[in-house]
Amino acid sequence: MGIEPCNPDNSEKRADRINGLYEKIENTREKMEAEVRTFIEATKKFSFEWIQREMNSHQREMNSNVSQMKSEACTGNVEIDRDRVSKLLCPEDLSHRIQDIVEEHLNRDDYWVHRSGLRYADISHDYIGFKKEKALEGLTSSIRMILGCAAEIFADVKDENSEEKVWVKERGRRKYICILRFSDEMTASLDRYFSMLEELFALEYEISKMIEKEAEKGKEK
């Protein structure tokens, strides 16, 4: 039996198809990376607003303490700690510190599936659901740590006891353990990311199958 002649047209079409898939995969990864930035920025806003609410709940006490410090300084009973007052009245500094904390905790490759560079050969509902759940679990845990770190900054300013019912210690740092609801911006961003994740898995699966077929044909020749 003779060997079936190679059809150049079919080979070119397969090559074009594979190249087209690689391009779609790269475009999808770029969109997912942009969505990661959107989520991180939304988390910075969420974390800052969260700690602001915590600060506002103690605002009267803080204002009272500052007034007392100023009063005692004026009567000569105590010298006012101007650095401490500056911390109490400087939300910009707190905002910058929270931004750094969020970047440190969330801009990590192990939380974002598209950064792995792996080719996924399983697009079952259970598998994709597992990958989403694992990513969400890691992000939620990290954001709880972020709130703990933000609260530690706040506690440093207020000299507040860190042992409260809403916190636990994990890896030597505070972790928020009460009900945590993401902001609408964060939720919408994650929904878009997970939607693109399904698309990425489908593309990776398709190209994996095409490459397998090409390899099998190569063995047959």
Side-chain angles (χ1 to χ4, degrees):
M1 181 180 294
I3 298 176
E4 182 180 349
C6 177
N7 188 327
D9 290 339
N10 289 338
S11 296
E12 289 180 5
K13 287 180 180 179
R14 286 195 296 270
D16 288 343
R17 177 58 179 163
I18 290 175
N19 289 335
L21 286 171
Y22 275 123
E23 184 176 348
K24 287 183 179 180
I25 288 170
E26 183 61 28
N27 289 339
T28 302
R29 289 184 187 277
E30 289 177 359
K31 291 177 183 177
M32 294 175 77
E33 185 62 30
E35 199 60 59
V36 169
R37 292 308 318 168
T38 298
F39 180 79
I40 289 176
E41 293 304 317
T43 304
K44 290 177 182 179
K45 178 182 177 183
F46 168 81
S47 301
F48 181 62
E49 290 177 349
W50 183 89
I51 199 65
Q52 274 191 315
R53 288 193 296 271
E54 291 293 303
M55 293 177 69
N56 288 338
S57 68
H58 296 278
Q59 193 66 51
R60 291 181 181 178
E61 176 187 350
M62 293 168 65
N63 288 340
S64 175
N65 289 342
V66 173
S67 298
Q68 182 178 355
M69 290 165 65
K70 290 181 177 179
S71 176
E72 291 174 347
C74 289
T75 58
N77 294 332
V78 66
E79 182 178 354
I80 189 169
D81 185 344
R82 300 190 182 278
D83 289 338
R84 177 175 169 77
V85 174
S86 176
K87 288 181 181 179
L88 288 168
L89 303 177
C90 186
E92 292 81 6
D93 179 61
L94 182 62
S95 175
H96 289 309
R97 292 174 71 179
I98 289 175
Q99 289 184 43
D100 291 340
I101 291 169
V102 173
E103 285 286 346
E104 178 186 353
H105 281 77
L106 291 189
N107 196 9
R108 297 169 52 184
D109 293 350
D110 50 335
Y111 288 153
W112 306 107
V113 182
H114 74 285
R115 292 182 178 180
S116 69
L118 298 176
R119 183 170 293 124
Y120 297 98
D122 188 347
I123 55 172
S124 66
H125 177 76
D126 288 343
Y127 181 72
I128 294 176
F130 166 74
K131 298 297 285 188
K132 288 182 180 180
E133 183 178 350
K134 185 177 180 181
L136 181 59
E137 181 181 332
L139 289 169
T140 301
S141 178
S142 188
I143 290 170
R144 290 185 181 279
M145 293 295 293
I146 288 169
L147 297 182
C149 291
E152 283 180 351
I153 297 172
F154 187 32
D156 288 343
V157 171
K158 299 193 303 90
D159 292 332
E160 186 174 295
N161 192 332
S162 63
E163 299 302 323
E164 300 177 19
K165 293 181 180 179
V166 299
W167 309 106
V168 294
K169 285 286 187 177
E170 185 172 304
R171 300 191 298 274
R173 305 302 297 272
R174 276 191 188 192
K175 183 176 182 179
Y176 186 68
I177 58 172
C178 286
I179 295 174
L180 177 63
R181 295 186 179 90
F182 290 178
S183 69
D184 291 343
E185 291 176 278
M186 293 165 67
T187 299
S189 179
L190 273 186
D191 286 345
R192 291 191 296 268
Y193 181 86
F194 286 145
S195 177
M196 287 186 284
L197 180 61
E198 293 183 14
E199 180 182 348
L200 179 65
F201 272 48
L203 291 169
E204 294 282 11
Y205 180 80
E206 184 176 356
I207 202 169
S208 293
K209 291 304 178 183
M210 291 191 70
I211 291 174
E212 285 178 9
K213 288 181 180 180
E214 290 298 310
E216 289 176 359
K217 288 180 181 179
K219 291 178 181 180
E220 293 173 357
K221 291 182 180 179

